[in-house]
Amino acid sequence: MKKSHIKAAPYTRHDKDTSFNSQKQVVFRYLSKNIATATMVSKATGIAQKNICRHKRTLQKAGLLHQVERKMCRCSGFLAWYLSTNPELLRNGNK
């Protein structure tokens, strides 16, 4: 008798949401303890920068992400926003 090999769909909606939400949680937790640019978060967490940008937008719309200061990124050398999800890390009360 042959065993039938049934493969699960590699991109099921449930898996996509689970991965997306867990990545978002990693980004949120990292930015709650650090002030960093998207490039810096990507290097520290191993999450692709494109995904970091999606999570950043989601967190901004929810009012959970704050732009702290705009200056040269230590990783990329380009002008970028340093971000945080911790309101206590904001300078001068700017959001």
Side-chain angles (χ1 to χ4, degrees):
M1 275 186 154
K2 289 186 179 180
K3 293 182 181 178
S4 66
H5 294 284
I6 300 173
K7 293 183 179 181
Y11 300 107
T12 61
R13 184 74 182 156
H14 175 73
D15 290 342
K16 183 178 177 185
D17 287 345
T18 302
S19 175
F20 185 82
N21 286 329
S22 65
Q23 283 185 358
K24 186 170 65 173
Q25 289 172 354
V26 168
V27 170
F28 180 84
R29 276 186 259 138
Y30 183 82
L31 288 173
S32 70
K33 297 177 184 168
N34 301 285
I35 297 174
T37 65
T39 301
M40 294 165 64
V41 174
S42 178
K43 284 191 173 192
T45 62
I47 299 171
Q49 188 167 356
K50 286 184 178 187
N51 289 350
I52 299 289
C53 291
R54 289 184 193 105
H55 301 308
K56 183 177 88 163
R57 183 176 57 242
T58 302
L59 292 169
Q60 281 177 324
K61 285 182 178 181
L64 299 172
L65 182 77
H66 310 285
Q67 295 175 332
V68 178
E69 149 178 54
R70 189 171 171 144
K71 62 182 184 179
M72 293 296 177
C73 174
R74 291 184 296 213
C75 290
S76 69
F78 291 101
L79 190 61
W81 278 104
Y82 278 74
L83 311 165
S84 177
T85 58
N86 185 345
E88 295 174 7
L89 296 177
L90 297 174
R91 295 185 183 164
N92 303 326
N94 294 334
K95 285 191 176 182

